[in-house]
Amino acid sequence: MDLIDGLGKVWTVLAKFHTHEAIGNYVSIDWPQFSNEKGLKPYDEITFMTRPQQEGGNEGPQNEFKVLVKRKIRLFGQDIWGEVM
């Protein structure tokens, strides 16, 4: 699966889609390089968004997603979510 981060860098990660009777559908992702370079931590919020198809045809990979990683920080007594670049 191809992911594009907030800086426009393309990452290729291994993803497996599963179905579980009790919890439903879920995906497991193997992305050690992405995780290490982004410095992912427990409780980071990760959002996957499909990229809209470009006008004019079927150009590019079909499974390309934008990935947004946010981390909560405490600033002046307030919780603020900031994007991890």
Side-chain angles (χ1 to χ4, degrees):
M1 180 167 73
D2 289 334
L3 304 174
I4 298 177
D5 67 14
L7 298 173
K9 183 175 180 180
V10 177
W11 300 83
T12 300
V13 298
L14 296 174
K16 294 180 184 177
F17 297 88
H18 306 275
T19 300
H20 189 276
E21 202 171 291
I23 60 175
N25 298 326
Y26 68 95
V27 63
S28 61
I29 299 174
D30 183 19
W31 59 1
Q33 183 182 5
F34 180 87
S35 177
N36 288 337
E37 286 193 33
K38 293 292 185 181
L40 296 184
K41 296 181 180 182
Y43 306 109
D44 283 350
E45 180 180 281
I46 301 168
T47 305
F48 297 94
M49 298 162 277
T50 56
R51 295 192 63 206
Q53 290 286 348
Q54 295 179 355
E55 293 182 27
N58 293 330
E59 300 172 15
Q62 295 298 316
N63 295 328
E64 192 172 88
F65 296 87
K66 181 174 181 181
V67 61
L68 178 65
V69 180
K70 290 185 177 181
R71 181 170 297 144
K72 183 169 55 172
I73 60 171
R74 190 114 176 121
L75 186 62
F76 301 114
Q78 299 288 325
D79 289 337
I80 298 172
W81 287 88
E83 185 175 358
V84 175
M85 300 302 270

